[in-house]
Structures are given as structure tokens and as C-alpha cells.
Amino acid sequence: MSNKPFSSRYNNILNRHYLLFFILIQFFIKIACQAQDGKTWLRFEGKEGPGKGRHIVLVSGDDEYRSEEAMPMLGKLLAQHYGFTCTVLFPIEPESGHIVPSYQNNIPGLEHLEKADLMILLTRFRELPDEQTQHFHNYILAGKPIIGMRTATHAFHYEKNKNSPFAKYHWRNAEIGWEGGFGQQILGETWVAHHGDHGTEGARALIDGIAQQQDHPILRGVKDIWAASDVYTVKNIPKDAEVLIYGVPTSGMNPESPVNWEKSIMPMAWTKDYQIEGGKKGKVFTTTMGASVDLVSEDLRRLIVNAAFWALDMPDKIIADMNVSIVGKYEPSMFGFGTFRKGMKVEDFK
């Protein structure tokens, strides 16, 4: 018979049961999460490559620029060519389970941000439940890197729950220290206006010569970008932001359209640091390009891929001829309100 006191043996038994219980809970959580893969979010497992072991979460949720098409394409590309494990999140209408970009109050799977190494964000005017936004907030507190695209500058719109602790992210926030909300304080700009004539003028990228001459890693191999989405007005980016690309409107909606030199240039891609109260410092790459049709541009895809490596402190892995070929079929829809494909399911983008 053991000489250990009964209470000690009893505690050991309890500890073993607690450990078994914890393991079982983790197992069932994993099973539950796996069950949602292909239903409310997608997972592209990384293969071999420099990104192996790194996790990128791509968050879609805008009702105009078809991020629900763009993000799966980018996720496949980053997983297949470079080994990153990519999780893609979508705006899901609870009643139907379909991807509905105009449904602004539900993006399941944001808990994946807790273990993410990089977030790529393209949302517009979302007002999510606090329990979902909490994961987003935790990510920012941790100072992890962010790539913000197009309408991410006005990612949040708090109208119903103005007492939410996250209402400070509202794109028109006037609170001191949070002017312009998430967009202005984290990404460097909120929504201001269309600088180009929306829907009739595209955007020609003008690469900053000094940054290019200094071999900025994000610009390696980037030479020719035309985007169908027009140039945004930018007026609030901080002085310490580094502008890498400027944009000028084109008089027409195809890559051969001439530049409209009657309009001035605007910052169209930049980097900056961010840090919120109580949080760690992080870094950001922001571009006002990013519609699904914009990403037909090979060099725009190259810009985003380069930015991912830069954000993850892997600039030495960036070479001028990075493979940015599209994996599988990609037939993006033209941007517009209410023009998204109806009845979309997450599994459609596998």
C-alpha cells in the first residue's frame, strides 16, 4: 500500500482527471472548428515553402468590391506557392448560411486571429457582435502586422451599438485619440472621398522613385499596376508614413486608358507603424487598391505578396520574380452594390 497521504493521492487523481478533461475539451473544440471549415470559413493548408509554419488570416466583408472573391484567391496563392497556412473568413448570413456581402453583422471565425501571424483585411462598414470584434481588438493589442486593402480604411460603422467598447473603431469617430477610427488611427486613413470618377476612371500606379532606388522590399519586381477601382482621396496619413505608390486617375476603364493629368496624384500604398494604448507596436501596409477585378493585375498581386513577407519580417525572401500566378480558376466580378452572386457558399471557393 502507498505511504502517501490520502489527500495527496486524491489530489493526484483529480489532477489527472482535470488534465484528461482539458484534453477532451481541446479535442472537441478542434473537431468543431474542423466541421466549420468549408461552411463558415476556409482553410488552405501550407505546403513546403518559406511560409511554412506561419498562419495568415484573410478577412473579407465588403458590399461593393467583391472581397469574398479576392481573399480566397490570395489565400490559395500564398498557401500553394509559399507554404503559408491561410484561413479565409466571410460575411455569413445566419439564416441561410450563405456568403452575403451586404450582411454587416457577422464574420464567423475571427477567433483564428488569436493565433494568426498576419491579418489581411478588406471589410467595409461592419458592425459586428462584440464577442467577434474582441478577437480583432486582441490582435491589435498584440501589435501584430496588418495588410489593409481598399475599404479597410472604413472597415467599421457603429450605428446600432454606439455604446460598444469597440465603437471607437467607427470610421467617423471624433473622439480625441481615435479620430477617424480604425482606418485613420491604425491604417493611416479613413474614408474621405473618391478622387477619381468612380466607375468611369481607373487608377494608374506611380511608383515612388526614391523607395524603388533604395530597393524597398515591397516594391521588388513591381513595375506596372492599373486598377479598375478609382483613386481614393487621401489627406490624413501621418508624416512618418512611407508612401511607396501614388495613384492618378485614368480617363477610361482599361489598362490602355490615358492618364488624366488634370487631376493630382494621391498616395495609394504606404507603410506605417501603429500602437494603441496598452498594446504593443505593430506595422501596417495599406493600399487603397484591392477590388477583385484589380487583382487581375499581376504586379498588384506581387505587391500584396511582397507586403506579406515584409510584414512577417522576411524581406530577404522577396525576389523580383516572385511567383504570383493564380491557382485554379479566377473570374472576378465587377464591383458594384447589390451585384454580388446570390446563393454563394463558402465551399464554392475551395
Side-chain angles (χ1 to χ4, degrees):
M1 181 179 290
S2 171
N3 293 322
K4 290 184 179 180
F6 174 78
S7 61
S8 176
R9 283 183 283 135
Y10 180 71
N11 286 336
N12 286 339
I13 292 171
L14 276 180
N15 288 336
R16 286 197 295 270
H17 279 84
Y18 283 136
L19 178 61
L20 178 61
F21 178 74
F22 176 78
I23 292 172
L24 286 171
I25 289 295
Q26 294 300 309
F27 172 77
F28 285 119
I29 289 175
K30 183 176 181 180
I31 292 298
C33 287
Q34 288 175 343
Q36 293 305 306
D37 183 4
K39 293 184 179 179
T40 58
W41 49 268
L42 281 182
R43 173 69 57 85
F44 299 110
E45 294 292 343
K47 307 299 181 182
E48 294 300 318
K52 187 175 181 179
R54 300 293 191 98
H55 183 201
I56 300 176
V57 173
L58 302 94
V59 185
S60 72
D62 84 286
D63 41 2
E64 183 175 10
Y65 293 103
R66 307 284 77 84
S67 59
E68 72 278 0
E69 298 175 357
M71 291 304 188
M73 182 274 289
L74 288 173
K76 290 177 189 177
L77 188 163
L78 289 161
Q80 183 73 29
H81 297 326
Y82 297 107
F84 294 104
T85 290
C86 295
T87 302
V88 185
L89 310 183
F90 301 90
I92 302 295
E93 182 184 60
E95 292 78 12
S96 65
H98 293 165
I99 299 171
V100 179
S102 58
Y103 192 88
Q104 298 179 330
N105 310 114
N106 187 40
I107 300 180
L110 284 167
E111 62 271 14
H112 291 291
L113 288 173
E114 302 289 349
K115 295 184 178 180
D117 298 297
L118 171 64
M119 174 174 64
I120 301 179
L121 179 71
L122 204 172
T123 59
R124 179 185 184 275
F125 289 164
R126 301 293 107 170
E127 186 172 2
L128 304 174
D130 285 347
E131 58 269 25
Q132 292 187 5
T133 311
Q134 183 67 58
H135 299 297
F136 184 89
H137 182 69
N138 292 347
Y139 186 92
I140 293 172
L141 278 172
K144 294 181 182 181
I146 302 169
I147 294 176
M149 299 170 62
R150 194 60 178 174
T151 57
T153 58
H154 40 298
F156 296 97
H157 179 84
Y158 277 83
E159 187 175 20
K160 299 175 182 176
N161 187 12
K162 295 181 180 180
N163 293 321
S164 166
F166 308 117
K168 58 191 173 187
Y169 289 145
H170 179 63
W171 69 285
R172 296 186 71 180
N173 190 6
E175 177 186 346
I176 295 175
W178 275 98
E179 298 91 342
F182 166 79
Q184 189 171 325
Q185 296 302 316
I186 306 300
L187 299 186
E189 184 57 291
T190 185
W191 165 246
V192 180
H194 288 283
H195 183 58
D197 291 338
H198 188 45
T200 61
E201 289 186 329
R204 171 60 61 188
L206 304 175
I207 298 169
D208 183 85
I210 294 176
Q212 190 178 53
Q213 288 295 318
Q214 293 176 347
D215 189 33
H216 196 290
I218 293 179
L219 294 176
R220 286 178 196 157
V222 177
K223 298 176 182 178
D224 179 20
I225 298 176
W226 178 84
S229 59
D230 62 314
V231 180
Y232 274 171
T233 299
V234 172
K235 66 176 186 180
N236 296 305
I237 63 171
K239 294 180 180 179
D240 59 352
E242 182 177 10
V243 179
L244 302 179
I245 294 177
Y246 294 85
V248 63
T250 59
S251 298
M253 292 291 288
N254 62 70
E256 291 73 38
S257 298
V259 167
N260 182 358
W261 289 117
E262 293 183 2
K263 293 189 175 179
S264 57
I265 64 173
M266 285 285 175
M268 201 159 65
W270 61 86
T271 63
K272 67 178 289 289
D273 292 334
Y274 78 88
Q275 186 172 18
I276 66 172
E277 184 177 357
K280 297 179 180 179
K281 182 181 285 188
K283 58 182 181 177
V284 163
F285 170 78
T286 304
T287 176
T288 57
M289 299 176 282
S292 62
V293 290
D294 293 350
L295 288 159
V296 169
S297 167
E298 180 178 348
D299 274 1
L300 180 54
R301 297 195 303 274
R302 188 180 313 283
L303 186 76
I304 301 301
V305 170
N306 288 358
F309 278 94
W310 168 84
L312 291 167
D313 297 322
M314 302 166 68
D316 56 310
K317 303 297 183 183
I318 302 172
I319 58 176
D321 59 348
M322 301 281 278
N323 184 0
V324 294
S325 61
I326 292 171
V327 178
K329 190 177 181 181
Y330 185 59
E331 296 177 346
S333 306
M334 187 57 178
F335 53 80
F337 291 107
T339 61
F340 62 88
R341 289 181 287 143
K342 307 305 186 287
M344 287 184 292
K345 298 179 180 178
V346 172
E347 63 191 33
D348 296 341
F349 295 98
K350 275 192 172 182

